[in-house]
Amino acid sequence: MSGSGRVGSRAVVVDRPGGHRLVESEPPVPGSGEVLVKVAAAGICMSDREVYDGRRDQGYVRYPVTPGHEWSGTVEAVGGGVDPALIGRRTVAEGFRTCGTCERCRAGDTSLCTSGYDETGFTRPGAFADHVTVPARLLHLLADGADLRAAALLEPAAVVAGAVRAGCPEPGERIAVVGAGTLGLLAVQFLAAYAPGELTVVEPRATRAALAPAFGAHEVIGPTEAESRRGRYDLVVETAGAPTTAASSCLLARRGGRVVLTGMFTTGATGIDPVHLSLSQLTVRSVFGAPSAAWSFAVRAFTAGLLDPGPLITHEFPLERYAEAVALVGGGDPGTGKVLLRP
């Protein structure tokens, strides 16, 4: 192993739903093909809250676990077979531990890997820690001067990049984004770069929607006004994951339009009307996670300055205040945007 001298490493461990501890031990040792990254910042999302509360599907979490799948950092050491020149590089990394050899991986659809679900922060130790170990092949290197605080949001940005690419936006189109949370506002930034004729955000909470115009939205409307816009939009990108937004997003699309569902829906969400779907000849896509191509797309946009997630961050906490930080996420305060842990 190559790297600098290191001292103890702390990590948040969720032993079971509702129970966690902060442990300190020797830093992890990267194995063959792996790197050890010193974490600069790690974002907390609703999936992390579900892990803590015990509401995540059992097939998608393995306790005890160190959460943290949205993160950025600097390579501190490398394992066997990894180029030592990576040490000192700023980076992010894909979360899915894909096999790289199945039919879907070979086709480039790495988020559909058939070898079984395996993801950093859910089934493998994540970045709510001083250090995280990941396969070097999953790294996406950043510029030397990259803002690592903002770069912690490149994981949700990659998910949104996958959604935007699936929607195939074209200049001059009428586009609607449903939801103005982290995913929705990142979608606005991406879509604004395509020069749409209209870029409308549908969001009932004024506080959450306040950043949308600065990110490139032409207007913000509420759900009631959106009902009068049914059948108007060439592309609708749904990011809210609310019980009714999959169905209502399909109603916003014009005949022959496209709808991309990005929000994480729970059991009991309103179904999409199959009669409307067939008569309107809609193209509907869904997104879960991000394939490698979407990660590359997001990192390129970030490096080029087309994507700036920094303004979405509203709270930052040390590892010791993990319980306070995770409680903010999904707590209902409209003033809470992205919450970071800063080891």
Side-chain angles (χ1 to χ4, degrees), residues 123-164:
T123 61
R124 302 290 184 102
F128 292 173
D130 288 322
H131 298 88
V132 63
T133 302
V134 295
R137 63 185 175 85
L138 299 181
L139 295 181
H140 288 266
L141 299 177
L142 305 174
D144 290 339
D147 178 359
L148 290 177
R149 176 177 172 271
L153 276 69
L154 281 173
E155 192 277 341
V159 174
V160 172
V164 169

Side-chain angles (χ1 to χ4, degrees), residues 12-201:
V12 172
V13 177
V14 178
D15 293 300
R16 61 191 182 284
H20 79 282
R21 55 198 166 98
L22 184 63
V23 302
E24 184 169 355
S25 61
E26 290 297 312
V29 176
S32 177
E34 294 182 332
V35 298
L36 179 70
V37 177
K38 178 69 175 71
V39 178
I44 304 177
C45 83
M46 276 302 298
S47 296
D48 300 306
R49 176 68 186 266
E50 290 171 357
V51 167
Y52 189 68
D53 290 344
R55 292 184 288 108
R56 188 169 175 84
D57 188 286
Q58 293 182 0
Y60 293 87
V61 63
R62 187 180 302 143
Y63 297 101
V65 64
T66 294
H69 62 287
E70 306 177 1
W71 58 269
S72 63
T74 303
V75 178
E76 192 170 274
V78 301
V82 179
D83 187 354
L86 288 175
I87 296 173
R89 291 298 306 271
R90 300 186 181 203
T91 194
V92 292
E94 297 176 36
F96 288 142
R97 304 293 185 96
T98 57
C99 71
T101 58
C102 71
E103 182 179 3
R104 294 272 46 91
C105 282
R106 297 296 291 172
D109 298 323
T110 53
S111 59
L112 298 175
C113 177
T114 60
S115 67
Y117 174 75
D118 194 9
E119 185 175 5
T120 301
F122 297 106
T123 61
R124 302 290 184 102
F128 292 173
D130 288 322
H131 298 88
V132 63
T133 302
V134 295
R137 63 185 175 85
L138 299 181
L139 295 181
H140 288 266
L141 299 177
L142 305 174
D144 290 339
D147 178 359
L148 290 177
R149 176 177 172 271
L153 276 69
L154 281 173
E155 192 277 341
V159 174
V160 172
V164 169
R165 287 163 57 87
C168 302
E170 296 185 5
E173 287 193 316
R174 295 171 174 169
I175 300 176
V177 175
V178 178
T182 297
L183 296 181
L185 291 172
L186 290 170
V188 170
Q189 285 201 23
F190 277 122
L191 292 164
Y194 287 88
E198 295 180 18
L199 182 51
T200 301
V201 172

Side-chain angles (χ1 to χ4, degrees), residues 232-244:
R232 180 177 183 83
Y233 296 98
D234 301 289
L235 170 63
V236 181
V237 179
E238 189 284 329
T239 67
T244 62

